Amino acid sequence: MKENATKNNLMEKIVSLCKRRGFVFAGSEIYGGLAGTYDWGHFGLALKNNIKQSWWKKFVDNRRDMYGIDTAILMNSKVWEAAGHVTNFADSLDGKKFNTMLKTQVGAKKEEVAVSYLRPETAQGMFVNFKNTVDAFHPKLPFGMAQIGKAFRNEIAPRDFLFRQREFEQMEIEYFTREEDWEKYFEYWKGEMLEWMEEIGIDMGKIHELEVSDEDRAHYSKRTVDFEFDYPFGRKELFGLAYRTDFDLKNHKLDYIDEESAEKIIPHVIEPTFGVDRAMLVLLLSAYCEDEKGGEIRAHLKFKPSIAPVICAVSPLLKNKPELVEYANTKVFAPLKAEFGRVIWDDNGNIGKRYRRQDEIGTPFCIVIDFDTLTDNTVTVRDRDTGEQERIKVENLKSYIKEKI
Ligand code: ATP
């Protein structure tokens, strides 16, 4: 009972921190909200962009065998018929099948109006561009396509903050291989997924692999491993890895011709899929810490500097002293901003309050310009995790931060 209260409390603390510090707001809030939708504030968006950039760098930019793509959210409804979603993309509602695709219509004139769906996964946008990609880039097997984008599901019960929403974002890879190689690449992608989770700072002690049973697998999959996380509300899916066989390419009547042997084959697909919003929630849960400083409980987010929304905050000790403000602005803030981008100016409230605020945003370093700075060109750099302060020469600041990150 007590343990449950602490766990629920953690979610409440994170939701309230996200609002207070401008990470995430409830969608349409001033009109009473719209269940399963959220709006992203400045720092939440920065964190989300860092997650996506780190993913894109690892899985697209750093590889030779991956082709990025960005496809339309609205697609011809025939895509969803061929993919099996019109019949199978459903949850159970009072024992009946309830299709969770969000239906809409396109076209203005009565005779032109056609049913369309907001895509429930980004995957189909890649499959329908398989031929375009092969024709444009002539890739050899195995190769992959990668996409980051919004997906929509009319979830029966949206809940648990960012965990189950009706509008969310996915990062997906479709990796095309010869049938006989699928097991090898399934294992390979499992390793890659785990490596990236660790890289961005997910608490790996809370990650568990679940071999999804026959009854629970999606209609297109012959093998699925879910990566689950111990959320405060239970052990549930974070990301998934599916062997989609040749199901999709076959249904879309697509194939591949090996340019050397002229052999015609239907490649098989390994699909690593990542939810951006669940990644964000899990990073918040992994980074959230409380300790005691000066008799007060201090909440802070221990993000890795590579993923933190802000790398450092620059503060003149007093905002009504023009000489401090001028120095802080021209000699510290401007050059650091030009170098790192994710640098903010914070002169609001006393220094203690600024530190608390930056701790909650997860800023690894706070730099304070005081009267000594004006004579000896040194500043105080305060470390988020230890609370320790060091005096650093202004000319060494860039290299000091670079070394730390
Ligand atoms: P669940 O079993 O939790 O409903 P799923 O198996 O339907 O998830 P997939 O179809 O595999 O999910 O979607 C791929 C990824 O998209 C998931 O691993 C998850 O990270 C994310 N995702 C799916 N549904 C949602 C949602 N409603 N809100 C936020 N993220 C989601």
Side-chain angles (χ1 to χ4, degrees):
M1 188 68 190
K2 196 170 168 229
E3 200 184 335
N4 268 346
T6 324
K7 284 176 174 174
N8 292 338
N9 206 320
L10 175 61
M11 280 304 285
E12 276 168 27
K13 283 177 180 175
I14 287 197
V15 174
S16 116
L17 184 153
C18 280
K19 180 172 178 178
R20 189 167 64 248
R21 296 299 176 208
F23 281 74
V24 182
F25 311 116
S28 314
E29 196 177 7
I30 62 167
Y31 287 101
L34 178 67
T37 66
Y38 286 92
D39 296 335
W40 296 79
H42 186 78
F43 292 132
L45 187 55
L47 181 59
K48 188 154 89 147
N49 284 339
N50 292 343
I51 294 171
K52 292 196 275 184
Q53 274 163 20
S54 141
W55 188 90
W56 195 262
K57 185 160 187 287
K58 180 172 177 65
F59 296 123
V60 182
D61 288 345
N62 287 357
R63 301 179 64 101
R64 291 161 174 231
D65 60 351
M66 197 64 74
Y67 299 86
I69 194 158
D70 185 11
T71 68
I73 286 170
L74 294 173
M75 299 175 87
N76 190 315
S77 60
K78 286 181 191 156
V79 172
W80 304 110
E81 282 159 26
H85 285 59
V86 174
T87 333
N88 294 317
F89 205 80
D91 269 350
S92 171
L93 182 61
D94 299 342
K96 279 194 180 157
K97 259 189 170 184
F98 171 75
N99 195 300
T100 54
M101 283 201 293
L102 273 156
K103 214 183 227 178
T104 186
Q105 56 179 50
V106 287
K109 291 187 195 147
K110 233 186 189 169
E111 58 279 15
E112 282 176 358
V113 168
V115 167
S116 184
Y117 300 92
L118 301 183
R119 66 179 180 204
E121 59 176 29
T122 65
Q124 294 305 323
M126 293 186 266
F127 293 126
V128 301
N129 280 286
F130 176 78
K131 185 174 184 316
N132 288 333
T133 301
V134 169
D135 290 349
F137 309 110
H138 305 277
K140 274 199 176 339
L141 288 175
F143 73 91
M145 293 173 71
Q147 163 151 250
I148 300 181
K150 288 259 180 168
F152 302 81
R153 294 181 190 177
N154 197 6
E155 296 280 3
I156 294 169
R159 62 184 175 279
D160 298 321
F161 192 35
L162 306 175
F163 179 79
R164 191 169 300 288
Q165 300 171 71
R166 290 190 167 129
E167 174 176 339
F168 55 99
E169 215 167 352
Q170 293 184 319
M171 306 181 284
E172 294 195 296
I173 292 168
E174 307 305 329
Y175 199 71
F176 303 97
T177 163
R178 287 174 180 271
E179 180 175 9
E180 59 269 30
D181 291 335
W182 80 264
E183 275 156 314
K184 179 171 96 186
Y185 287 112
F186 195 93
E187 287 311 311
Y188 165 79
W189 278 106
K190 199 150 48 120
E192 289 292 289
M193 292 180 82
L194 287 165
E195 204 177 277
W196 182 74
M197 290 181 221
E198 190 158 13
E199 255 170 54
I200 60 167
I202 288 176
D203 180 349
M204 297 307 281
K206 292 193 169 142
I207 293 283
H208 307 273
E209 286 175 32
L210 173 81
E211 189 71 48
V212 180
S213 65
D214 290 359
E215 315 84 71
D216 290 339
R217 271 199 311 268
H219 62 278
Y220 49 73
S221 171
K222 255 202 180 156
R223 185 183 173 198
T224 297
V225 167
D226 280 352
F227 293 98
E228 297 191 308
F229 184 81
D230 293 322
Y231 299 90
F233 44 86
R235 185 176 291 181
K236 295 199 157 63
E237 178 174 336
L238 167 60
F239 305 140
L241 176 64
Y243 168 42
R244 287 181 86 122
T245 67
D246 56 358
F247 178 86
D248 300 275
L249 293 185
K250 228 183 203 165
N251 284 339
H252 295 308
K253 300 185 174 50
L254 293 164
D255 53 32
Y256 173 90
I257 295 169
D258 186 293
E259 286 188 1
E260 273 165 28
S261 64
E263 181 195 4
K264 188 170 168 175
I265 53 173
I266 303 179
H268 280 233
V269 172
I270 306 295
E271 179 190 67
T273 174
F274 305 71
V276 178
D277 312 72
R278 286 190 194 174
M280 164 98 174
L281 175 58
V282 160
L283 274 181
L284 285 163
L285 289 165
S286 301
Y288 187 88
C289 300
E290 287 180 357
D291 59 10
E292 218 187 290
K293 284 254 174 308
E296 265 181 49
I297 299 291
R298 174 182 80 119
H300 57 295
L301 290 171
K302 268 189 175 177
F303 292 129
K304 286 192 172 185
S306 56
I307 217 86
V310 179
I311 291 180
C312 62
V314 175
S315 270
L317 182 66
L318 300 168
K319 66 175 171 189
N320 56 0
K321 295 287 171 200
E323 62 276 37
L324 290 183
V325 173
E326 168 70 13
Y327 190 106
N329 196 9
T330 56
K331 300 222 162 79
V332 182
F333 181 71
L336 290 181
K337 184 93 181 144
E339 178 76 27
F340 299 109
R342 288 179 279 140
V343 176
I344 57 167
W345 179 265
D346 190 355
D347 61 7
N348 203 2
N350 65 37
I351 288 293
K353 276 200 175 138
R354 294 180 209 172
Y355 287 161
R356 293 293 160 275
R357 174 164 49 242
Q358 295 306 326
D359 284 343
E360 287 198 340
I361 294 166
T363 308
F365 309 105
C366 287
I367 300 169
V368 178
I369 291 84
D370 58 23
F371 291 103
D372 288 342
T373 312
L374 302 179
T375 51
D376 65 6
N377 290 306
T378 64
V379 288
T380 298
V381 179
R382 182 237 185 213
D383 182 284
R384 172 198 65 199
D385 301 338
T386 61
E388 275 167 21
Q389 306 188 3
E390 268 187 85
R391 247 3 238 194
I392 305 285
K393 274 205 166 315
V394 170
E395 65 191 60
N396 295 337
L397 266 178
K398 272 189 200 169
S399 52
Y400 174 87
I401 292 172
K402 267 192 191 157
E403 196 182 301
K404 292 267 183 182
I405 63 179

